[in-house]
Amino acid sequence: MNKILDFIDLTKGEDEKQVVLENVKSNISFRGANLWILACAIVVASVGLNVNSTAVIIGAMLISPLMSPIIGAGFALGIYDFGLLKKSLKNLLIATFVSLAVSTIYFYLSPFKETQSELLARTSPNIYDILIAFFGGLVGVIAITRKEKGNPIPGVAIATALMPPLCTAGYGLAIGNLRFFGGALYLYTINCVFICVATFLIVKFLKYPRIKTFEKAREKQITYAISILTIILVLPSIYFAYTLFEERKFDQKVSTFIQNEFVDNGFTVIYKKTRFKTNPKSIEVAFLSKKFTDFEKVELNQKMKIYGLANTELKIRQDTTNLKQDILNQIKNEKTNLNEKDVLISSLKKEIQDNKYDNNSLLAEAKILFPSLTDISISNHPFNSGKEKIEIIPVVIYTSTKPLSTTDAEKLTLWVKTRIKKEKIDVFWKNS
């Protein structure tokens, strides 16, 4: 047992407590160089979030000095140094306001305001973010108390991720989205508090000398205050984690339902959108050619219960035009000359045949502009545009390794219109 305790003993390799405290105090202040480094790191992180580059975001986290005042606050609580606590919190507030100001200005001036996945990931914190902050903070403070600092410090800067939430909060302010701002600021607060709590626990465990001595009752009050703050932050994150878990389960059930009922039956799904937070939940799908009757729709909605998709509505988007029936109805109701209809049908067939496209050439050209494309095909389809008028509209279906961004999708549509000299086309993406 002694060997095991000796093996996990944290006091081994520990630096002198006074030296550690001096190092912590010296890195708290945000003035001069530290402030400039912070502002530059915020700009780098904002650019990374703006262009959805994980590597750039990681680089910004490595150069950020934001963690120092949080560690200082944890040490101050552990040794009851309220002067150090006040200084740490003051510098943390300065750093936070500077970071928010710089990121808000950047995103306000940036011409690209699309909400990238890296930004979205920082708007809905959950219990896992608490675990990352807490254990990342433990690693950070343990490394700080060692004689040999080693490699953990850069890893802690990346894991605890203080910069991206602040930049995301600035993005929320810049575009006027208070939900993004609140979610990102909540994640930032979680990270700060749990790094501080982890530091407090390690300082207590390593028995750093107290600056002030209080009565037991006063110490309990301080401990209770920390505990209450921790619980207040933990409870919403548990709810968010539960919601995330339920949403992932819902998405998985939807994928199974679509695979079994549509894809395995040979129907090509060209569009899918799910809504988890509505009541009832909904699944919206569209198909390349298959049309479902009202009876089939009712049957499919009933089948969803088998897949655990109760309280979920299936919406099928499809062209309700039936050219054959429309023509027959016109013949019956308006007593139109059958020969005129034959001429109409023949002219439609001829127009469809005359407008054939060289898909191979189109793909070769398109891949130069959009490298992620793997296939593209265009074919003409008749659509009833109302008032007894039938139009031939080119339908474009492309496949790619990943969905094109909104900007690239618009560029592709404009390019195809120019290339085939058509004003009106329909474009659909199919997963490759």
Side-chain angles (χ1 to χ4, degrees):
M1 188 63 183
N2 288 333
K3 285 185 178 180
I4 295 174
L5 291 174
D6 185 62
F7 189 71
I8 62 173
D9 187 7
L10 263 183
T11 59
K12 283 193 171 183
E14 185 186 0
D15 202 352
E16 292 181 20
K17 291 180 171 57
Q18 193 57 39
V19 173
V20 174
L21 279 171
E22 289 301 322
N23 287 336
V24 168
K25 290 177 181 178
S26 64
N27 291 319
I28 286 172
S29 179
F30 273 98
R31 285 178 177 79
N34 264 3
L35 199 60
W36 279 98
I37 291 170
L38 175 67
C40 292
I42 282 289
V43 172
V44 173
S46 298
V47 171
L49 290 165
N50 204 188
V51 300
N52 218 38
S53 172
T54 305
V56 175
I57 297 167
I58 289 172
M61 288 188 280
L62 285 173
I63 60 176
S64 167
L66 201 54
M67 196 170 167
S68 299
I70 304 171
I71 295 286
F75 265 90
L77 286 171
I79 62 175
Y80 300 118
D81 186 344
F82 294 107
L84 177 60
L85 178 62
K86 184 179 177 181
K87 184 180 178 183
S88 298
L89 293 178
K90 178 184 174 183
N91 281 281
L92 181 59
L93 281 173
I94 291 170
T96 302
F97 282 119
V98 168
S99 301
L100 276 174
V102 172
S103 59
T104 301
I105 291 168
Y106 169 81
F107 282 111
Y108 183 78
L109 296 176
S110 172
F112 307 106
K113 290 182 171 59
E114 293 86 357
T115 306
Q116 304 286 3
S117 59
E118 289 286 353
L119 283 164
L120 275 174
R122 272 85 188 183
T123 58
S124 300
N126 55 59
I127 192 68
Y128 302 109
D129 294 299
I130 286 179
L131 293 175
I132 292 168
F134 180 73
F135 287 101
L138 282 180
V139 174
V141 70
I142 289 170
I144 286 172
T145 59
R146 304 298 96 185
K147 287 181 181 177
E148 298 293 332
K149 306 301 179 190
N151 295 323
I153 298 297
V156 170
I158 296 169
T160 51
L162 292 162
M163 301 287 287
L166 267 182
C167 295
T168 305
Y171 171 77
L173 284 177
I175 66 169
N177 190 321
L178 293 181
R179 187 177 69 83
F180 280 11
F181 172 74
L185 205 60
Y186 176 52
L187 176 56
Y188 173 69
T189 305
I190 281 176
N191 287 342
C192 291
V193 169
F194 282 90
I195 292 169
C196 185
V197 169
T199 304
F200 171 80
L201 293 176
I202 292 297
V203 169
K204 284 290 188 185
F205 181 79
L206 294 176
K207 297 179 181 177
Y208 272 68
R210 301 176 183 181
I211 299 297
K212 289 184 179 180
T213 304
F214 295 101
E215 296 176 358
K216 288 289 182 183
R218 180 63 172 162
E219 288 185 18
K220 282 184 179 180
Q221 286 179 351
I222 295 170
T223 306
Y224 287 153
I226 294 171
S227 301
I228 290 169
L229 178 61
T230 302
I231 291 169
I232 289 170
L233 289 169
V234 167
L235 289 178
S237 66
I238 292 174
Y239 168 75
F240 289 135
Y242 173 76
T243 305
L244 177 64
F245 175 69
E246 289 296 314
E247 189 170 356
R248 294 284 168 83
K249 277 197 341 185
F250 175 75
D251 289 339
Q252 194 173 32
K253 289 173 184 176
V254 169
S255 297
T256 305
F257 170 71
I258 290 175
Q259 182 68 36
N260 292 349
E261 298 299 328
F262 301 129
V263 178
D264 289 350
N265 290 325
F267 307 140
T268 304
V269 180
I270 58 174
Y271 171 83
K272 180 186 81 171
K273 186 173 183 179
T274 60
R275 291 181 176 87
F276 175 75
K277 294 180 180 178
T278 58
N279 188 21
K281 305 178 188 73
S282 69
I283 307 167
E284 195 171 338
V285 287
F287 300 88
L288 182 61
S289 57
K290 171 65 180 175
K291 292 184 180 180
F292 293 88
T293 64
D294 290 340
F295 176 77
E296 287 174 319
K297 291 178 185 177
V298 171
E299 191 178 23
L300 285 166
N301 271 283
Q302 290 174 345
K303 277 186 177 180
M304 286 199 296
K305 295 176 183 177
I306 301 171
Y307 295 87
L309 292 169
N311 193 35
T312 304
E313 182 184 5
L314 177 65
K315 299 177 182 177
I316 298 177
R317 291 179 59 181
Q318 58 187 18
D319 182 8
T320 57
T321 304
N322 188 322
L323 291 178
K324 182 180 177 181
Q325 191 61 46
D326 285 348
I327 292 172
L328 290 174
N329 287 341
Q330 282 183 329
I331 292 171
K332 183 179 179 181
N333 297 331
E334 301 172 14
K335 297 180 180 179
T336 311
N337 191 307
L338 185 60
N339 291 331
E340 291 178 2
K341 298 301 176 183
D342 289 337
V343 170
L344 174 62
I345 293 170
S346 298
S347 65
L348 288 173
K349 286 181 177 178
K350 186 176 184 305
E351 189 174 349
I352 291 172
Q353 290 172 353
D354 290 345
N355 285 279
K356 290 186 177 178
Y357 305 97
D358 186 352
N359 290 326
N360 290 331
S361 298
L362 284 166
L363 177 62
E365 294 176 29
K367 287 184 76 171
I368 296 172
L369 300 171
F370 309 96
S372 64
L373 260 61
T374 55
D375 194 17
I376 187 169
S377 62
I378 307 177
S379 60
N380 288 322
H381 288 268
F383 288 89
N384 190 340
S385 59
K387 297 182 180 179
E388 303 179 3
K389 184 180 179 183
I390 297 172
E391 290 184 271
I392 303 300
I393 298 177
V395 174
V396 183
I397 299 175
Y398 71 92
T399 60
S400 57
T401 53
K402 60 180 181 180
L404 295 178
S405 67
T406 304
T407 303
D408 284 343
E410 290 173 354
K411 288 180 182 176
L412 175 63
T413 303
L414 184 61
W415 177 79
V416 173
K417 283 182 179 179
T418 306
R419 177 67 173 74
I420 65 175
K421 298 178 181 178
K422 295 286 182 180
E423 287 297 323
K424 190 175 181 181
I425 63 171
D426 286 334
V427 181
F428 300 98
W429 172 73
K430 181 183 175 185
N431 192 10
S432 61

